[in-house]
Amino acid sequence: MTAILLTVLLGPALVGAVLALPVPVPGRDRFAPSLGVGVLGVSAVASYAVVDAGTTVTAPFVAGADLGLAATGPAQVLLPMILVVAMLVMVVATAVAETRQARFVGMMLLFAAAATLTVLASTLPTLLLGWELMGAASYALIGYRHRDPGAVGSGATAFLTTRAADLGLYVAVAAALAGRTDLSLDALTTTSPGWLDVVAAGVLVAALGKAAQLPFSFWLSRAMDGPSPVSALLHSAAMVALGGYLLVRLSPLLAATGWAGPVTAWAGVTTAVALGLVALAQTDLKQLLAASTAAQLGLVVMAAGLGATAAGTAHLVAHAAVKSLLFLAAGAWLHALGSKQLTTLSGAARRWPALGAVTVAALLALGGLPPLSLWATKDAVLAAAHGESLALYLAGLVATVVAVAYATLALVTLLRTPPSDLGQLPVLDDELPGSRVVPRRVPAASTPLAVAAVALGVFVLPEVLQRLPGRVPAEPTTDELVLSAVVVLLAGAASVVWLRRRSSGPGTAPPRGRARALLHGWLHLEQVIHALVVRPTLRGADLAARVDDRVLAALVTGVATGALRLARGTDRGDAQVDQGVRAVAAGARDGGRLVRRPSSTGQLHHYYQQLVVALLVLVVIVSALVLLGR
């Protein structure tokens, strides 16, 4: 079973790496789409055997810590979900020339492999590896249109924002080491006091960043500049969803601190309400869906904070089916009409009824209509909130009402009577030339997702919820289910009436007033971050560059110049010394010759004469020394 687990992980990774490499291979773009779908399909089928056996694998990494994989806990549900959703997204991606290329297929496979590694990770080193690969792959995919500066900039914004939050995970690893754990995720609760709080805080910051929770939500808006299949996978089964998954996986760690659980729950429900209102103010379908992703992930985060991990896992699975379908539909209409503005999409569900039918099912689920999937999972989360805090429960109900409103906005727009002539639509082809056609494979691949969006309402049954991995601190009572259903129906009816009264039609009114402009601009979070972080950082970097250029560089240049001059002077002195030495040597050599010449005559009187001279010299020297000694 270990070999199967490694195949599930390494199959998409290796094939993806080969396809993504810029190596010219004849016909590569032709077979890459089928290969990508096939690899993900095989991995998805094999993953069921892996999770059924609860397979685990460990390998030594460093002293006291291993690389570990485990198909246990929430991974038993999320691993097949990731691979199935990735495969269906890939099927739809093959319908468009841009996303049929081998490079795109390779990157998507790498993205899916990174998400798979993250879900299977059972130790912090493995989690870090998957976390980093997932961030890098998302950057490459969001900026896939690399000749578009806007897309590249959006990729950089998403990457840098999540990278900043990811520093929390590194802090958590360091604190876990200091707290004397073996870095396994299950052992983090045994971290020594003090370090335990640091570990929990680091994990919380990193997860909130990936899950696009407040105050990191704005990067999700910029991520919409990537191709639609990227959005479908990023929002549903990878990256954003895995931020919520990490908190669900480490919910016992949050509970162990005593403070992290409530903070997490309130962070989640606050995001659910605020980003739900942001979604309601959007005039672009993908922006609406993006904001709703952050809002729905807020419920998952709240479940993690409450320890309702089974409900959080169920909400992740249901949301993955719903949101991947909706992004695939938005992408198909974007390529058909050349725009994703709500005004342009008016009546799109009727114009393309097959895709419209599955989209309507997903939107009804997104709005929490009973007895569909997100109604059941959302109520499971609210039941846990009711048992913990009435204020938290009421805030969750408000988030539910807002969800009904933004789902109804999209629903009413798509179900309006379409104009007989596409030319009557206010905006066409504002983003790209539309084909006016929706490929058949889009509704075909979306149908299983629609079935899941509807059928996963079975999560409301206690016997089904109890069988999910994780805790169920409280089950929704009949009264709570009835109250929730009534709230949803009343909110839906009120939303329809409100939208019909708007003279300009749903989603057509430009942002007016400060409040709506604030919501339409995603709470201006990006501008705030630019003012508080980016600009001071850039100014600091500019100041450092000036100090480097004008002070340090001048100082280094002066020192170098002085050293060069000193070296030149030393060189000249060395040459003079050399000349002196040569002169002394020459003198000594000449003296030696002079001395040797008379001493080698062989005449006795010459030797006597030399001896006398030497004695006289010696007498003179000794006399001089005696006189000096007095």
Side-chain angles (χ1 to χ4, degrees):
M1 200 56 68
T2 300
I4 298 177
L5 175 62
L6 295 178
T7 301
V8 169
L9 175 63
L10 297 178
L14 294 177
V15 175
V18 171
L19 292 177
L21 287 174
V23 178
V25 177
R28 189 175 64 161
D29 287 339
R30 190 172 61 254
F31 66 77
S34 302
L35 181 60
V37 173
V39 168
L40 289 172
V42 170
S43 295
V45 172
S47 68
Y48 285 97
V50 169
V51 299
D52 185 56
T55 308
T56 60
V57 178
T58 58
F61 178 57
V62 294
D66 294 334
L67 291 174
L69 302 173
T72 58
Q76 290 180 299
V77 179
L78 295 179
L79 178 62
M81 179 271 290
I82 290 172
L83 293 168
V84 169
V85 169
M87 181 191 67
L88 295 173
V89 168
M90 189 68 76
V91 169
V92 174
T94 60
V96 178
E98 179 190 42
T99 53
R100 202 164 43 227
Q101 298 176 1
R103 184 168 68 91
F104 182 83
V105 174
M107 288 181 181
M108 287 290 279
L109 289 176
L110 289 173
F111 194 28
T116 301
L117 178 60
T118 302
V119 166
L120 289 173
S122 61
T123 64
L124 279 175
T126 313
L127 178 67
L128 264 179
L129 181 60
W131 206 255
E132 292 290 352
L133 291 175
M134 194 166 55
S138 68
Y139 169 63
L141 284 168
I142 295 171
Y144 180 72
R145 296 162 179 150
H146 56 88
R147 290 186 175 85
D148 180 0
V152 175
S154 295
T157 298
F159 182 70
L160 293 175
T161 305
T162 54
R163 290 294 300 145
D166 290 347
L167 293 178
L169 205 53
Y170 285 91
V171 172
V173 173
L177 284 172
R180 300 180 180 180
T181 71
D182 61 358
L183 298 188
S184 66
L185 299 184
D186 292 332
L188 291 180
T189 54
T190 64
T191 307
S192 58
W195 292 116
L196 179 69
D197 296 318
V198 179
V199 174
V203 167
L204 180 58
V205 170
L208 292 180
K210 273 287 193 288
Q213 301 296 286
L214 291 173
F216 304 103
S217 309
F218 63 93
W219 73 262
L220 208 52
S221 172
R222 297 294 297 273
M224 293 302 96
D225 287 343
S228 294
V230 176
S231 303
L233 186 57
L234 185 144
H235 284 252
S236 62
M239 190 81 168
V240 186
L242 296 192
Y245 158 78
L246 181 61
L247 292 176
V248 170
R249 177 70 174 82
L250 297 180
S251 180
L253 169 68
L254 304 176
T257 64
W259 60 266
V263 169
T264 303
W266 278 106
V269 77
T270 302
T271 303
V273 174
L275 269 296
L277 293 173
V278 168
L280 196 55
Q282 300 305 309
T283 56
D284 177 302
L285 180 58
K286 284 186 70 174
Q287 291 290 333
L288 185 155
L289 295 177
S292 74
T293 295
Q296 292 293 327
L297 262 293
L299 295 177
V300 176
V301 172
M302 183 169 73
L306 293 169
T309 50
T313 302
H315 202 76
L316 275 174
V317 174
H319 178 260
V322 169
K323 198 51 64 71
S324 56
L325 190 162
L326 291 176
F327 271 109
L328 292 178
W333 284 322
L334 170 61
H335 283 279
L337 298 173
S339 174
K340 47 188 169 54
Q341 295 296 314
L342 290 175
T343 51
T344 306
L345 297 179
S346 179
R350 291 191 178 187
R351 188 177 300 280
W352 289 279
L355 182 58
V358 294
T359 303
V360 167
L363 284 172
L364 291 175
L366 182 65
L369 184 72
L372 305 183
S373 56
L374 288 177
W375 168 74
T377 56
K378 172 257 302 173
D379 276 6
V381 176
L382 291 181
H386 195 201
E388 185 73 19
S389 163
L390 180 60
L392 202 60
Y393 174 70
L394 293 177
L397 279 182
V398 172
T400 298
V401 171
V402 177
V404 173
Y406 61 67
T408 305
L409 169 61
L411 198 60
V412 170
T413 301
L414 296 173
L415 287 176
R416 287 168 65 89
T417 302
S420 56
D421 183 6
L422 284 176
Q424 297 177 9
L425 291 172
V427 180
L428 274 175
D429 306 329
D430 63 327
E431 294 191 32
L432 51 87
S435 64
R436 312 294 184 254
V437 174
V438 171
R440 292 180 180 178
R441 71 184 71 179
V442 179
S446 301
T447 299
L449 298 171
V451 172
V454 173
L456 290 180
V458 296
F459 283 141
V460 77
L461 300 176
E463 52 270 26
V464 176
L465 190 61
Q466 292 284 359
R467 292 188 63 181
L468 290 176
R471 291 180 64 243
V472 184
E475 295 174 357
T477 64
T478 304
D479 291 343
E480 289 172 347
L481 291 174
V482 171
L483 173 62
S484 170
V486 170
V487 167
V488 168
L489 293 175
L490 290 177
S495 299
V496 171
V497 172
W498 172 63
L499 291 169
R500 285 187 174 180
R501 286 182 177 178
R502 293 169 61 176
S503 58
S504 53
T508 61
R512 288 179 299 182
R514 292 183 179 181
R516 189 174 177 192
L518 179 68
L519 294 173
H520 185 268
W522 285 68
L523 306 176
H524 299 325
L525 288 173
E526 186 171 356
Q527 291 85 340
V528 172
I529 296 298
H530 271 266
L532 296 180
V533 179
V534 177
R535 288 174 192 163
T537 302
L538 292 177
R539 287 174 182 171
D542 182 61
L543 179 61
R546 291 183 181 182
V547 170
D548 181 57
D549 293 340
R550 299 179 182 180
V551 179
L552 295 180
L555 182 61
V556 170
T557 302
V559 170
T561 303
L564 184 60
R565 290 176 179 175
L566 180 62
R568 288 173 178 169
T570 304
D571 183 60
R572 286 195 294 270
D574 185 60
Q576 293 174 355
V577 170
D578 184 64
Q579 290 176 357
V581 170
R582 290 177 183 275
V584 170
R589 185 172 58 249
D590 293 343
R593 290 173 181 169
L594 185 63
V595 170
R596 189 171 61 246
R597 190 178 304 158
S599 62
S600 57
T601 62
Q603 300 295 322
L604 183 60
H605 65 280
H606 286 168
Y607 294 124
Y608 181 75
Q609 184 180 0
Q610 292 171 9
L611 181 60
V612 171
V613 172
L615 286 173
L616 287 175
V617 171
L618 181 61
V619 169
V620 171
I621 293 173
V622 171
S623 300
L625 291 175
V626 170
L627 291 174
L628 290 174
R630 290 181 179 180

